[in-house]
């Protein structure tokens, strides 16, 4: 309950920090004798700030006389009907008016299980405010370097180049490796469209190959078959947190002198034979979109071991402008920079990434345990030599039943998502097809389930009941 309590003499900023810790957008205000004397919501504070109140304003000066609360033992159903529909949570008090608990009212909205939600309970808020107040809000500032160095190190790489998103990271990598017109790049059929789009933006030709039935990752045997004299690079995607068979892929790359760009947008912290995803390729790319393993809102990063590629990407990211001679351009570049504000959030996220990965794994373990034995549910395979991490927790259901299950889950208030379409099933990308049989099937059968830490066992049991019918 500690994260729900603020004192009368605390400031609005204190209240916001508490809300950020409890993630319920509400705090209960108590007086010197610990008695409840008010309630503040995120909406209340937003209105106050827009009306000109300062963050340093003492809470006691803005408290409303009337607010909703429950006494111990009062019925949820009764209170749910009594209070206005926008009231989702109320404090529960004992005879001495001390807050002993909170009660979630019966509201349709609060009964929904959202598919994912960023977790920002560490130092993100503090660093963000710090960057904001420092006025370094654009793409220069200490958080950028700190985030680049910290994340590259986390991946077992020497250098990091932060970008505006994961897609610009992929494009920057391709251009920095001189991949363009006339070159072929091998990509998997089961991936988010950004992978193939960036190859096309670079002017190169994608060659789309099939994925493994059990692991859902690009098939080395298909890569080998798809190689032509024009093949310049392979872009393996560590899909849904599953690392690709990097030993086989690096062996093929070496034998055929191909470049490797890992699309690790969904696989922060994944490992193949004890080595981090992102540490194998010439350049590897990550995304920090809000639903990824860690987030900066929008954001991305290229990591590499090569000082030459690092320098090249830094120049290309910043309009191709010479680092020695200001406003001198030797090549056509981009503005793909990340802001210090985004990097500030990233630094907070990075501090707790191991704990985040652990919580994600615990969640997946609970899903696997509770859904075990169902004939209707197949999980992504786990291999001894790979550390699959949990991005969106994803399963396959029997062919032909997916849409029906998705409907039932949605009716039950469970937020779900279908898999990506097989790229080459779309007319736009059909002409780049090499092979896609497994990918088509996985894509037809796949569902992503709610993947946030506070999904409870009873909610997973509810999902189990839906899959048992
Ligand atoms: C999310 C994602 C991207 C793109 O990242 P953005 O930050 O959204 O641009 C690229 N590839 C894959 C596999 C992704 O999942």
């Amino acid at each position: 309950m500690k994260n729900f309590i603020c004192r009368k003499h605390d400031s609005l900023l204190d209240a916001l920090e508490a809300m950020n810790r409890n993630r319920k957008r509400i705090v209960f205000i108590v007086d010197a004798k610990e008695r409840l004397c008010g309630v503040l919501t995120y909406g209340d504070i937003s209105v106050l700030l827009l009306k000109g109140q300062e963050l340093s304003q003492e809470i006691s000066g803005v408290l409303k006389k009337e607010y909703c609360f429950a006494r111990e033992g009062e019925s949820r159903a009764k209170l749910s009907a009594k209070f206005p529909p926008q009231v989702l949570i109320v404090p529960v008090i004992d005879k001495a008016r001390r807050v002993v608990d909170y009660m979630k009212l019966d509201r349709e909205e609060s009964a929904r299980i959202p598919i994912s939600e960023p977790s920002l309970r560490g130092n993100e808020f503090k660093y963000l405010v710090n960057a904001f107040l420092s006025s370094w809000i654009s793409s220069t500032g200490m958080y950028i370097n700190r985030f680049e160095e910290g994340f590259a190190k986390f991946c077992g790489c020497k250098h990091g180049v932060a970008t505006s998103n994961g897609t610009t990271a992929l494009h920057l990598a391709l251009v920095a490796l001189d991949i363009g017109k006339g070159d072929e790049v091998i990509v998997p059929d089961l991936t988010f469209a950004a992978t193939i789009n960036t190859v096309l933006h670079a002017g190169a030709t994608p060659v789309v190959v099939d994925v493994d039935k059990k692991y859902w990752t690009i098939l080395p045997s298909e890569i080998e078959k798809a190689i032509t004299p024009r093949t310049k690079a392979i872009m393996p995607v560590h899909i849904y947190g599953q690392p690709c068979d990097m030993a086989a892929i690096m062996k093929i790359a070496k034998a055929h002198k191909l470049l490797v760009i890992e699309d690790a947008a969904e696989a922060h912290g994944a490992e193949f034979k004890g080595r981090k995803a992102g540490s194998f390729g010439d350049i590897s790319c990550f995304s920090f979109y809000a639903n990824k393993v860690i987030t900066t809102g929008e954001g991305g990063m290229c990591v590499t071991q090569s000082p030459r590629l690092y320098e090249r990407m830094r120049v290309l990211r910043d309009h191709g402008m010479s680092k020695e001679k200001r406003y001198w351009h030797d090549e056509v570049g981009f503005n793909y920079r990340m802001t210090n504000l985004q990097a500030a959030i990233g630094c907070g996220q990075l501090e707790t990434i191991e704990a985040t990965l652990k919580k994600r794994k615990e969640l997946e373990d609970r899903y696997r345990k509770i859904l075990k034995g169902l004939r209707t549910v197949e999980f992504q395979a786990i291999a001894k030599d790979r550390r699959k991490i949990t991005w969106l927790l994803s399963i396959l259901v029997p062919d032909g039943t997916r849409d029906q299950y998705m409907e039932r889950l949605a009716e039950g208030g469970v937020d779900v998502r279908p898999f990506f379409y097989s790229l080459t099933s779309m007319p736009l990308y059909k002409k780049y097809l090499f092979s896609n049989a497994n990918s088509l099937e996985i894509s037809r059968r796949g569902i992503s389930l709610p993947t946030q830490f506070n999904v409870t066992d009873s909610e997973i049991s509810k999902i189990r009941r839906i899959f048992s019918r």
Side-chain angles (χ1 to χ4, degrees), residues 165-167 170 191-192 194-195 237 263 265-266 287 289 292 299 391:
N165 57 62
T167 307
L170 287 167
T191 181
F192 180 56
T195 318
V237 179
D263 181 343
E266 304 174 1
S287 164
Y289 182 66
K292 298 291 159 80
W391 176 48

Side-chain angles (χ1 to χ4, degrees), residues 109-140:
E109 184 52 28
S110 57
R112 251 185 69 250
I113 314 172
I115 188 151
S116 88
E117 197 180 55
S119 174
L120 304 161
R121 285 176 231 210
N123 284 323
E124 292 84 356
F125 187 62
K126 237 183 247 167
Y127 294 164
L128 180 64
V129 171
N130 180 250
F132 181 91
L133 295 175
S134 75
S135 85
W136 292 98
I137 59 171
S138 208
S139 52
T140 312

Side-chain angles (χ1 to χ4, degrees), residues 81-261:
K82 179 173 141 193
F83 293 137
Q86 67 270 25
V87 178
L88 306 178
I89 290 178
V90 293
V92 180
I93 57 170
D94 63 11
K95 289 209 178 72
R97 281 195 86 79
R98 279 185 307 241
V99 183
V100 290
D101 201 356
Y102 67 86
M103 182 191 282
K104 275 194 198 171
L105 300 182
D106 303 325
R107 303 281 185 250
E108 238 171 67
E109 184 52 28
S110 57
R112 251 185 69 250
I113 314 172
I115 188 151
S116 88
E117 197 180 55
S119 174
L120 304 161
R121 285 176 231 210
N123 284 323
E124 292 84 356
F125 187 62
K126 237 183 247 167
Y127 294 164
L128 180 64
V129 171
N130 180 250
F132 181 91
L133 295 175
S134 75
S135 85
W136 292 98
I137 59 171
S138 208
S139 52
T140 312
M142 69 162 191
Y143 287 110
I144 305 261
N145 300 336
R146 202 158 120 188
F147 186 45
E148 287 180 336
E149 281 169 21
F151 191 74
K153 193 168 163 216
F154 170 78
C155 297
C157 287
K158 287 209 183 76
H159 306 286
V161 178
T163 57
S164 47
N165 57 62
T167 307
T168 51
L170 287 167
H171 189 228
L172 187 65
L174 286 157
V175 176
L177 290 167
D178 289 314
I179 295 167
K181 209 164 182 291
D183 298 328
E184 289 177 359
V185 179
I186 298 176
V187 301
D189 189 51
L190 187 74
T191 181
F192 180 56
T195 318
I196 190 168
N197 284 348
T198 50
V199 173
L200 291 164
H201 287 315
T205 306
V207 176
V208 181
V209 308
D210 205 4
V211 299
D212 184 85
K213 229 179 151 113
K214 273 168 47 198
Y215 298 109
W216 312 350
T217 48
I218 192 165
L219 274 169
S221 54
E222 289 301 297
I223 295 176
E224 209 144 24
K225 283 188 226 156
I227 290 172
T228 73
R230 306 216 295 185
T231 307
K232 183 94 181 265
I234 311 169
M235 255 170 122
V237 179
H238 308 303
I239 193 88
Y240 295 105
Q242 179 86 278
C244 299
D245 181 349
M246 289 314 293
I249 292 169
M250 296 314 289
K251 199 170 151 203
I252 295 169
K254 199 163 170 212
H256 297 269
K257 296 200 168 58
L258 304 177
L259 297 162
V260 174
I261 301 165

